[in-house]
Amino acid sequence: MRRLGVLCGLIALVCCGCSLPHHKDVGVIDKLAATRADATTVLIHYNRVRTQADTDRDVATLRAVETGALLQIDAGLYHVSRVLDPGGSGARSAWTQPTEYVVPRLRRYPLWFVLVVENPDQKTQVAVLFNRASSTSSWKATYAPQLAATTRLPALADQQGGAVSIDPEQANGLPYTPVDLLARYCRALSDPNSNDARDFPDDAFIAQMRQVRSRTDRGNVRVTQTWTPMRGSNALRTADGGALVFGSVQRKDTFHIVGGKPIRWKKSNPAAAFDPNRIRSAATVTYVHQLLFYVPPRSLGNPRVIGQVGGVVNASSR
């Protein structure tokens, strides 16, 4: 029986959250976001909840342990699976024991930490970020970009035994803020001739997306691609003075039919699950991508994506 990832191509990975015993901390705090034991408990809880959610392909179950763009990706994944492979199995392998714990010392909520785990289904790693909005909230996953099996996170700065977080709206010695990084990256993706594209000359994700566009822009089909940064990001200081930045972006591929007969999506195309109609003049497919950037100090090179995951979240035509 086929797995969900076979249907979508780009599998959306999700993480867990659980409500751990806590005191009702308020105001300013100064502590590690979680202990290793807490983080491991969160992961165990996630594996149990995700197994149930996958089996039922139930977004409501998954909503209890993840949020934001990550939930959008997985909701799309479940929808595609139910429509295109109704008799299939949605079960995915549990993530393994973490190989890295990245726990920042924080002074206020939300608390968050990162685990690097192995994903046996894809033979990749996942840098999963868990977020806890308040002392009475449960841990929920907000990011889960995949990394190649051989990729290692750069060394991180240390502060009293914890990683050092960066305010996404402050440059903090970087070429630009993490928020501005996402906006510049989207402009580079949208227009290879833009000034912003010069900041990402060797980025593999940009090269991959341009190949995707060139493969579909042929015959009587013309493709335009637009990218938009999504709200929210998390950043960590690296030991070399750079940063690791987690962020999400939305991509819209618009297909224009130039002459010729109307067309349909192939039955195996995830877009067909959202829009089975004939495409007479144009169609738009919406994706969400989660990205993990390494931003070195300017003297050491250019920012680049080192991990990503994404999926179709909607499609429509006219």
Side-chain angles (χ1 to χ4, degrees):
M1 302 176 82
R2 291 178 292 173
R3 294 185 182 276
L4 294 177
V6 175
L7 290 171
C8 285
L10 290 174
I11 189 167
L13 299 175
V14 295
C15 339
C16 69
C18 64
S19 182
L20 301 172
H22 59 269
H23 300 289
K24 292 187 177 181
D25 301 319
V26 295
V28 175
I29 57 176
D30 185 7
K31 66 178 181 180
L32 290 174
T35 66
R36 288 198 173 197
D38 290 340
T40 301
T41 299
V42 169
L43 182 63
I44 292 171
H45 179 72
Y46 163 69
N47 280 329
R48 179 177 61 80
V49 173
R50 191 188 71 171
T51 296
Q52 185 62 54
D54 284 354
T55 300
D56 299 336
R57 289 180 273 199
D58 180 30
V59 177
T61 299
L62 207 54
R63 190 175 289 116
V65 293
E66 72 174 40
T67 189
L70 191 59
L71 182 60
Q72 285 185 263
I73 293 172
D74 232 35
L77 188 70
Y78 283 4
H79 177 76
V80 170
S81 176
R82 288 193 301 268
V83 174
L84 300 188
D85 189 23
S89 171
R92 289 173 284 181
S93 298
W95 289 339
T96 62
Q97 179 74 17
T99 57
E100 290 189 57
Y101 294 80
V102 181
V103 182
R105 180 174 291 278
L106 300 169
R107 292 184 57 80
R108 64 183 69 254
Y109 285 94
L111 302 181
W112 55 277
F113 64 87
V114 178
L115 299 179
V116 178
V117 297
E118 292 183 359
N119 176 26
D121 290 340
Q122 302 293 310
K123 297 182 180 179
T124 59
Q125 302 176 95
V126 183
V128 53
L129 188 151
F130 295 96
N131 179 293
R132 190 180 187 190
S134 71
S135 62
T136 58
S137 301
S138 60
W139 288 101
K140 292 190 177 184
T142 54
Y143 298 98
Q146 292 185 17
L147 296 79
T150 57
T151 298
R152 294 294 177 266
L153 298 184
L156 297 172
D158 181 84
Q159 174 182 306
Q160 298 178 313
V164 180
S165 64
I166 296 175
D167 185 339
E169 297 184 355
Q170 300 294 324
N172 297 289
L174 300 172
Y176 26 71
T177 71
V179 171
D180 192 29
L181 168 69
L182 285 173
R184 289 172 179 262
Y185 196 72
C186 285
R187 291 195 292 268
L189 282 160
S190 296
D191 182 3
N193 298 315
S194 67
N195 291 333
D196 294 290
R198 299 172 187 171
D199 288 343
F200 310 97
D202 305 315
D203 188 89
F205 182 76
I206 290 179
Q208 178 188 0
M209 291 298 101
R210 288 176 182 160
Q211 288 175 0
V212 168
R213 179 174 173 175
S214 66
R215 286 198 300 266
T216 53
D217 190 2
R218 60 182 59 190
N220 69 323
V221 178
R222 298 290 179 268
V223 182
T224 58
Q225 198 174 77
T226 58
W227 295 80
T228 306
M230 300 177 72
R231 293 184 61 186
S233 61
N234 291 79
L236 292 161
R237 177 72 69 193
T238 55
D240 59 12
L244 279 178
V245 178
F246 290 80
S248 299
V249 297
Q250 184 187 79
R251 161 187 157 205
K252 285 192 175 183
D253 290 359
T254 301
F255 300 81
H256 304 272
I257 310 302
V258 182
K261 298 179 180 180
I263 63 174
R264 290 183 185 273
W265 300 116
K266 291 182 179 179
K267 292 183 178 180
S268 59
N269 191 317
F274 293 92
D275 180 24
N277 301 314
R278 300 176 74 186
I279 304 169
R280 298 182 181 279
S281 60
T284 299
V285 183
T286 303
Y287 300 79
V288 169
H289 296 268
Q290 294 202 312
L291 307 173
L292 175 58
F293 295 85
Y294 168 50
V295 185
R298 187 172 290 277
S299 61
L300 297 182
N302 300 99
R304 63 184 183 274
V305 168
I306 62 173
Q308 68 94 11
V309 68
V312 179
V313 299
N314 198 14
S316 61
S317 65
R318 58 183 187 273

